[in-house]
Amino acid sequence: MKFLILLFTLLLFIACKNKKNESLESSVQIVKVYINPLENRIDSLIKKSLIYGDTNAYYELSGLYIFQINKPKELFFYAFQMATKYHYSKAYFDLYFILSIKKKNIKLLDSCSYNMAMFYLLKAYEKGSWNAENAVRIKFEGNKIPNSKMFRDKFCY
C-alpha cells in the first residue's frame, strides 16, 4: 500500500513538473511571437535597403532604430551603406545625427568627428534633405553655407 502511495505521489510530481515546463515553453513561444515579427521586419527592411537601394525601406528602418527600439548607433552601418552606395539624403543626415547624438553642442566633438559630422550634414543638405535644411539654417544663421567638400578634405585618415 505504501508503495502505491509513493508511486502515485511520484507520478503526480512528474506530471506537475511537466506542466510547469509546458507553461514555461508556451510563455517563451508567446514572447517569440512578439519579438520575431519586429526582427523579421528589420531584416526585410535591411535587405530591401542595402540590396535594392529601397529608400522607403530605409526610411522605415531608420525610424525603427531611432524611435522605436531607440538604438540609433546600430543604424550607422546601414546609413553609411545607403549614403555611399545610393547617395540617399536621409542616410547622410542620419550619419550626422548618429555622430552628434551624445553631444548637446556639436562643437564638443573632437575635430575628426566634427568634420565628419559636418560633411554628412552638408552632404544631406546638398542632396535635398529637409531635416538637414533646417539644421543647416540654424547652424549657419544667415552666414554663407559651405560646401561639404570643405569638411571632407579635413577628414582624419
Side-chain angles (χ1 to χ4, degrees):
M1 185 69 168
K2 286 183 181 180
F3 176 74
L4 288 175
I5 293 173
L6 183 63
L7 183 61
F8 178 73
T9 305
L10 182 62
L11 290 173
L12 185 62
F13 176 75
I14 291 171
C16 288
K17 188 172 182 177
N18 285 343
K19 192 69 171 169
K20 282 183 182 177
N21 287 342
E22 288 172 11
S23 176
L24 179 64
E25 287 173 14
S26 66
S27 297
V28 169
Q29 290 299 325
I30 290 170
V31 169
K32 284 182 181 178
V33 167
Y34 288 109
I35 292 174
N36 282 341
L38 181 58
E39 288 176 4
N40 293 339
R41 183 70 185 145
I42 288 172
D43 287 344
S44 172
L45 293 170
I46 289 169
K47 287 175 187 169
K48 287 178 182 177
S49 299
L50 299 185
I51 295 171
Y52 303 109
D54 185 334
T55 56
N56 291 328
Y58 176 80
Y59 187 86
E60 185 178 343
L61 180 68
S62 173
L64 286 172
Y65 273 105
I66 292 171
F67 300 112
Q68 188 168 349
I69 60 176
N70 197 24
K71 294 184 177 179
K73 289 181 181 179
E74 291 183 15
L75 179 66
F76 190 87
F77 174 78
Y78 310 117
F80 184 78
Q81 290 293 314
M82 286 298 290
T84 57
K85 192 173 179 180
Y86 300 107
H87 309 287
Y88 183 40
S89 64
K90 169 91 171 95
Y92 282 111
F93 185 78
D94 286 345
L95 289 169
Y96 160 75
F97 176 77
I98 293 164
L99 285 168
S100 60
I101 195 168
K102 288 291 182 190
K103 304 290 182 182
K104 293 184 184 201
N105 183 347
I106 190 170
K107 290 188 177 188
L108 295 176
L109 291 171
D110 64 87
S111 65
C112 294
S113 299
Y114 174 80
N115 289 329
M116 191 175 284
M118 290 307 300
F119 167 76
Y120 290 131
L121 174 62
L122 291 168
K123 195 70 173 171
Y125 172 76
E126 292 164 3
K127 296 282 183 188
S129 166
W130 64 271
N131 288 333
E133 186 176 329
N134 292 334
V136 165
R137 284 187 183 168
I138 291 168
K139 179 138 188 66
F140 293 99
E141 296 182 60
N143 295 327
K144 185 177 183 230
I145 298 170
N147 189 300
S148 63
K149 186 177 185 229
M150 182 180 116
F151 288 94
R152 187 194 66 209
D153 293 342
K154 294 179 183 178
F155 274 17
C156 300
Y157 294 105

